[in-house]
């Protein structure tokens, strides 16, 4: 028994000694290292057979393997970044431009030499400081007194001012006050003779960042300046430092994010936020049980072994919350440069600096995102692709990629332009190109299989017939032009997280008791639009030649079929009103005219969002005319010629105008 005890003891000893060495080598911040040492000390006193011991061991082992000080070197070559973005992505001109601007600012910030103003009335002292600081790769400007300093402050954008206190015209204390008023971002360090330390302390009370007593050691100056600069960098980085890519699925958000990481030479990872409900997913679990884990952010840094990867936080708009706390508030901390320098994961229980991580958030729609979160982000919008863009992307990128991935040879397999068009039009209906890529993958897989079985020649040209052979009968029909105009059925345009889409609003009436029936799983706002539309039609029945008592002894039923589409928002108002007018005037509604617009009780049309996505959806569905609020004129004018080609956009101010255009 005693023998066992001994060997266990020594095993525990050697494990702990091992960890001690690792703790010393891990380059942790001093505070963290101390905590790790204390934990280790505690472990020496705990029975190794207990859960507590193994929790402690795992914890320290995790701490020492975190990348406290490991970074990949940034590649700040902008033209290379530009080339990479262009090489891997077709179109997306605005997106690329915005990203390059963002990177340029980053590069400038990293490359710019901090500018320091040295103020002293003794020339020797000025020269000394100038010499020391220039050696540290700072840019230095000098001034002989406070008044001179103020002139120079107006001309340049300084980061730090180092000033003597005693000067002839406008002394250091006055200068400090003036800088505080006019340039609150600039950090002031005061230098003072040994005799007047008390006045230096007074200066700090008045807002000076630090003070240095003469005669000073070089290290003191260096430290004070670098600390001041660090503080300043944080303040500067706060706004818009997080990129947010918003847009429908399959529009290249992930792919562009990857390219950004590649351009910077950083590692890349994604964290899916969709459906995340528990705060612990972000912030980790306390180490109270075996198997407790850190949150996803720390886990990813641990896995990637670097503190400066690009982390893509996917689908911020689908973030949930429940009783276990709100992951959004934890995220707020992660994304806020003022707080994320000392992010505390519950498992780690010590601060970890996240400020080197480049976060890119993605979202399909922005309106469900908490305002405080949205404020921290620089939003870059991705939008759906036109048919032509899809064809280009397919031919240039998706087809070659799939051919390669399925082990085929680009020399032997090709897709004709007609085949690509057919896949886009008849087998997919989406804003992005996700299912397009999947369909192309399916065809390539089948070609590979048939080639192996000797069923096809080695050389395959995929034609429209082949597409049908591989993918089966067409999946989508043009419900708009392939069906007849009907009474009480109108075509509308909606905007959802998946991009734009079309809906049909059906209105029917029957004998009854003045009841308004609404079906089709409509959201609250859309149900209100139905009520508003009915009230408008009732109140202006006469002007449309409708019997004013039409609602007496009748029920009206509004139905919006299409289970898969999210149906909410005010923009269907116009479509519902015109459906009712069609029903009550017995005039068939043109199916190939699609509408969007919010209505007021007096029949005026208010502007709506998602214009570009809606126009693209209308074109996918082969709509001929789109009716939109006149107040959306600016949005329509912003659309490129390629988008507005082959479609008529009619701007209207009132329901009556819309009805004239739609009803036969
Ligand atoms: P998202 O993240 O927006 O859902 P992805 O980045 O996953 O979209 O894009 C889906 C696929 O389409 C990827 O294979 C991507 O490389 C490709 N893709 C998207 N946009 C483009 C583009 N403009 N040029 C080339 N390929 C693209």
């Amino acid at each position: 028994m005693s023998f066992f005890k001994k060997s266990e003891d020594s095993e525990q000893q050697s494990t702990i000694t091992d960890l001690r060495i690792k703790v010393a080598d891990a380059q942790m911040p001093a505070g963290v290292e101390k905590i790790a040492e204390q934990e280790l000390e505690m472990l020496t006193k705990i029975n190794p057979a207990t859960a507590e011991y193994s929790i402690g061991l795992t914890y320290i082992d995790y701490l020492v393997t975190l990348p406290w000080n490991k970074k990949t070197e940034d590649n700040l070559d902008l033209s290379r970044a530009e080339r990479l973005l262009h090489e891997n992505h077709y179109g997306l001109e605005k997106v690329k431009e915005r990203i390059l601007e963002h990177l340029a600012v980053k590069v400038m910030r990293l490359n710019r030499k901090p500018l320091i103003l040295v103020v002293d009335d003794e020339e020797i002292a000025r020269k000394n400081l100038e010499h020391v600081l220039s050696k540290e790769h700072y840019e230095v400007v000098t001034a002989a007194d406070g008044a001179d300093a103020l002139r120079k402050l107006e001309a340049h954008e300084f980061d730090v001012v180092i000033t003597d206190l005693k000067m002839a015209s406008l002394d250091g204390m006055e200068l400090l006050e003036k800088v505080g008023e006019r340039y609150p971002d600039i950090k002031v360090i005061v230098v003072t003779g040994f005799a007047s330390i008390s006045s230096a302390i007074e200066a700090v009370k008045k807002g000076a960042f630090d003070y240095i007593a003469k005669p000073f050691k070089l290290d003191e100056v260096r430290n004070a300046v670098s600390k001041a600069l660090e503080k300043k960098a944080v303040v500067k980085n706060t706004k818009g430092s997080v990129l947010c890519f918003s847009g429908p699925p399959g529009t290249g958000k992930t792919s562009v994010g990857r390219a950004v990481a590649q351009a910077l030479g950083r590692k890349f990872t994604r964290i899916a936020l969709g459906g995340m409900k528990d705060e612990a997913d972000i912030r980790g679990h306390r180490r109270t049980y075996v198997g407790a884990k850190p949150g996803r952010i720390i886990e990813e840094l641990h896995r990637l072994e670097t503190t400066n990867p690009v982390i893509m936080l996917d689908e911020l708009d689908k973030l949930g919350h429940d009783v276990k706390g709100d992951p959004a508030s934890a995220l707020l901390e992660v994304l806020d440069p003022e707080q994320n320098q000392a992010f505390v994961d519950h498992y780690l229980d010590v601060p970890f600096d996240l400020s080197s991580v480049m976060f890119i958030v993605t979202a399909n729609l922005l309106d469900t995102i908490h305002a405080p979160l949205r404020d921290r982000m620089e939003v870059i919008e991705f939008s759906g692709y036109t048919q032509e863009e899809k064809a280009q992307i397919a031919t240039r990128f998706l087809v070659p990629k799939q051919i390669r991935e399925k082990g085929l040879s680009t020399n032997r397999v090709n897709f004709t332009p007609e085949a690509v068009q057919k896949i886009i039009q008849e087998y997919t209906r989406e804003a992005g190109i996700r299912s397009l890529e999947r369909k192309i993958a399916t065809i390539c897989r089948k070609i590979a299989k048939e080639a192996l079985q000797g069923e096809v020649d080695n050389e395959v040209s995929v034609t429209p017939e082949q597409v049908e052979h591989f993918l089966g009968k067409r999946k989508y029909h043009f419900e708009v032009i392939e069906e007849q105009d009907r009474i009480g059925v109108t075509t509308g345009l909606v905007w959802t997280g998946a991009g734009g889409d079309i809906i049909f609003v059906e209105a029917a009436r029957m004998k009854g008791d003045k009841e308004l029936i609404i079906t089709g799983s409509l959201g609250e706002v859309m149900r209100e639009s139905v009520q508003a539309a009915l009230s408008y039609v009732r109140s202006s029945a006469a002007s449309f030649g409708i019997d004013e008592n039409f609602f007496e002894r009748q029920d009206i039923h509004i139905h919006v079929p299409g289970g898969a589409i999210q149906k909410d928002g005010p923009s269907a108002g116009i479509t519902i009103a015109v459906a009712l007018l069609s029903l009550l005037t017995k005039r068939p509604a043109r199916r190939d005219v699609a509408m969007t617009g919010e209505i007021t009780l007096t029949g005026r049309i208010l502007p709506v969002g998602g214009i570009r996505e809606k126009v693209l959806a209308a074109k996918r569905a082969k709509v001929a005319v789109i009716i939109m609020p006149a107040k959306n004129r600016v949005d329509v004018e912003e659309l490129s010629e390629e988008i507005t080609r082959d479609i008529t956009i009619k701007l209207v101010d009132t329901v009556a105008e819309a009805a004239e255009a739609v009803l036969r």
Side-chain angles (χ1 to χ4, degrees):
M1 185 65 204
S2 71
F3 170 76
F4 269 123
K5 180 81 184 104
K6 230 188 191 136
S7 83
E8 256 175 34
D9 263 4
S10 64
E11 197 182 310
Q12 183 178 8
Q13 276 303 332
S14 80
T15 311
I16 288 178
T17 314
D18 266 5
L19 277 179
R20 274 220 173 89
I21 297 171
K22 285 188 184 162
V23 167
D25 286 348
Q27 300 193 347
M28 305 168 169
V32 178
E33 191 169 327
K34 207 158 153 204
I35 290 176
E37 278 163 5
Q38 284 166 359
E39 286 282 326
L40 270 176
E41 196 48 45
M42 280 210 330
L43 286 188
T44 59
K45 295 173 194 138
I46 298 180
N47 179 353
T50 58
E52 214 182 337
Y53 181 78
S54 75
I55 291 173
L57 268 195
T58 320
Y59 170 65
I60 297 171
D61 201 47
Y62 199 88
L63 276 192
V64 296
T65 45
L66 269 176
W68 294 99
N69 227 341
K70 279 195 216 150
K71 266 187 192 174
T72 54
E73 178 103 24
D74 272 345
N75 185 330
L76 299 175
D77 179 352
L78 269 192
S79 47
R80 177 169 164 273
E82 186 168 7
R83 207 180 57 237
L84 276 172
L85 277 174
H86 283 300
E87 268 172 15
N88 299 324
H89 300 96
Y90 177 82
L92 296 175
E93 296 312 328
K94 263 199 196 142
V95 169
K96 290 175 187 166
E97 202 180 304
R98 290 280 304 280
I99 286 180
L100 287 171
E101 280 168 15
H102 186 87
L103 291 181
V105 171
K106 241 189 166 46
V107 171
M108 296 274 273
R109 250 189 225 154
L110 288 172
N111 279 354
R112 188 178 85 97
K113 279 192 190 173
L115 188 56
I116 297 175
L117 179 63
V118 171
V119 195
D120 203 311
D121 52 0
E122 271 179 66
E123 193 180 349
I124 293 279
R126 284 203 300 272
K127 284 263 171 314
N128 255 342
L129 273 174
E130 185 176 9
H131 180 71
V132 173
L133 293 169
S134 305
K135 268 190 151 172
E136 293 292 304
H137 300 286
Y138 300 131
E139 217 164 302
V140 184
V141 173
T142 58
D145 55 42
D148 188 18
L150 283 181
R151 277 193 297 279
K152 291 189 167 143
L153 277 162
E154 253 175 57
H156 307 274
E157 203 184 309
F158 290 97
D159 296 290
V160 174
V161 173
I162 303 182
T163 179
D164 192 16
L165 278 181
K166 285 218 174 61
M167 287 179 295
S169 100
L170 197 87
D171 71 9
M173 210 61 96
E174 283 172 273
L175 178 63
L176 174 66
E177 274 166 23
K178 290 244 154 47
V179 171
E181 279 164 26
R182 296 185 201 168
Y183 314 99
D185 276 354
I186 300 183
K187 305 282 173 226
V188 181
I189 298 170
V190 299
V191 181
T192 173
F194 205 61
S196 55
I197 286 286
S198 60
S199 56
I201 291 171
E202 154 124 34
V204 170
K205 278 191 192 144
K206 281 192 170 158
F209 178 75
D210 203 350
Y211 69 87
I212 311 171
K214 278 186 201 170
F216 45 74
K217 296 201 192 82
L218 294 186
D219 266 351
E220 278 180 281
V221 181
R222 282 193 206 115
N223 282 345
V225 172
S226 81
K227 262 198 222 133
L229 286 170
E230 252 173 48
K231 261 272 160 359
K232 195 163 185 267
V234 176
V235 176
K236 240 183 161 172
N237 274 332
T238 31
K239 193 135 181 80
S241 57
V242 176
L243 285 176
C244 171
F245 292 174
S246 91
T251 47
K253 299 184 293 298
T254 310
S255 171
V256 167
R258 244 180 242 286
V260 168
Q262 197 190 348
L264 287 170
R266 293 189 179 200
K267 294 187 177 167
F268 178 84
T269 186
R270 285 167 72 185
I271 297 178
L273 300 178
M276 209 183 252
K277 280 188 193 151
D278 190 344
E279 193 189 356
D281 291 334
I282 300 284
R283 214 198 279 279
H285 290 276
R286 293 185 195 285
R287 320 188 288 283
T288 43
Y289 59 94
V290 182
K293 278 197 316 185
R296 285 299 307 280
I297 310 271
I298 293 294
E299 283 270 74
E300 287 301 309
L301 296 179
H302 187 248
R303 190 176 65 80
L304 295 172
E305 298 182 344
T306 172
T307 52
N308 69 337
V310 174
I311 297 187
M312 184 165 254
L313 298 167
D314 247 340
E315 303 200 308
L316 179 61
D317 50 340
K318 310 254 164 44
L319 193 68
H321 54 88
D322 68 2
V323 284
K324 290 196 194 131
D326 186 0
S329 62
L331 258 191
L332 200 60
E333 230 181 280
V334 168
L335 297 177
D336 184 346
E338 276 185 57
Q339 300 181 53
N340 75 8
Q341 280 190 311
F343 172 70
V344 179
D345 181 285
H346 284 157
Y347 180 81
L348 293 192
D349 211 18
V350 290
F352 194 92
D353 182 359
L354 298 180
S355 62
S356 312
V357 179
M358 176 170 182
F359 288 104
I360 301 180
V361 172
T362 80
N364 293 138
L365 285 178
L366 290 176
D367 43 3
T368 54
I369 298 177
H370 291 229
L373 264 177
R374 200 161 33 172
D375 284 349
R376 290 208 169 37
M377 304 184 302
E378 178 175 343
V379 177
I380 295 186
E381 281 185 36
F382 285 62
S383 72
Y385 292 117
T386 62
Q387 174 113 0
E388 288 81 356
E389 284 171 329
K390 287 182 183 178
Q392 289 288 349
I393 296 172
T395 322
R396 291 174 196 223
F397 296 98
L398 305 182
V399 168
K401 180 171 150 202
Q402 289 306 326
I403 289 178
R404 250 192 339 266
E405 278 184 11
K406 303 294 175 297
L408 301 165
S409 146
T410 26
N411 297 331
R412 304 253 172 76
V413 180
N414 77 68
F415 281 59
T416 66
E418 297 75 26
V420 172
Q421 289 291 350
K422 188 177 169 83
I423 305 173
I424 295 171
Q425 294 200 12
E426 299 177 14
Y427 294 86
T428 68
R429 179 155 299 168
E430 57 181 351
I433 48 177
R434 271 202 195 157
S435 24
L436 176 59
E437 185 170 24
R438 269 202 301 275
K439 297 289 171 204
I440 293 171
T442 305
I443 294 179
C444 290
R445 203 168 46 239
K446 292 195 170 169
I447 292 176
K449 178 169 156 263
E450 292 191 2
L452 275 182
Q453 295 169 336
E455 285 170 23
V456 290
D457 293 340
N458 266 342
E459 274 178 43
V460 187
S461 179
V462 180
T463 59
E465 293 75 48
Q466 295 261 12
V467 169
E468 203 159 318
H469 164 67
F470 287 122
L471 296 181
K473 280 264 169 287
R474 68 189 296 180
K475 210 168 144 215
Y476 291 102
H477 290 267
F478 302 115
E479 307 106 308
V480 170
I481 44 172
E482 285 169 4
E483 287 201 34
Q484 285 186 346
D485 297 341
R486 273 185 284 164
I487 290 173
V489 182
T490 50
T491 311
L493 293 169
V494 290
W495 183 33
T496 70
D501 216 330
I502 56 165
I503 53 165
F504 296 99
V505 173
E506 303 175 346
R509 62 171 164 175
M510 50 242 145
K511 277 208 185 100
D513 193 19
K514 278 181 105 168
E515 199 188 340
L516 174 62
I517 306 159
I518 305 173
T519 54
S521 323
L522 309 191
E524 195 55 39
V525 180
M526 196 149 161
R527 297 177 73 87
E528 283 176 3
S529 292
V530 174
Q531 281 159 351
L534 179 62
S535 296
Y536 161 70
V537 172
R538 285 176 73 188
S539 63
S540 33
S543 66
F544 291 101
I546 299 168
D547 173 10
E548 286 188 48
N549 297 322
F550 74 86
F551 207 27
E552 301 296 325
R553 287 195 292 281
Q554 296 230 313
D555 286 347
I556 298 269
H557 186 163
I558 297 286
H559 178 63
V560 185
I565 303 175
Q566 203 181 316
K567 285 165 282 191
D568 203 5
S571 75
I574 183 173
T575 319
I576 300 163
V578 176
L580 282 170
L581 289 173
S582 163
L583 174 75
L584 298 168
T585 57
K586 302 198 179 76
R587 290 164 68 186
R590 279 181 63 178
R591 211 173 162 84
D592 62 346
V593 181
M595 291 165 267
T596 181
E598 179 174 352
I599 54 165
T600 67
L601 278 182
T602 55
R604 299 198 67 77
I605 310 285
L606 302 180
V608 292
I611 294 300
R612 185 186 150 100
E613 298 302 330
K614 284 172 178 171
V615 176
L616 287 173
K619 290 186 75 166
R620 287 198 287 278
K622 298 267 185 259
V623 161
V625 182
I626 304 179
I627 293 183
M628 286 200 179
K631 294 199 174 68
N632 277 113
R633 185 181 299 277
V634 203
D635 306 291
V636 174
E637 281 167 359
E638 266 179 13
L639 299 174
S640 69
E641 195 269 333
E642 191 193 334
I643 295 182
T644 50
R645 200 189 301 152
D646 315 321
I647 199 154
T648 307
I649 297 181
K650 196 170 156 47
L651 299 171
V652 297
D653 275 311
T654 61
V655 175
E657 282 173 68
E660 261 335 286
V662 178
L663 302 184
R664 297 267 184 208

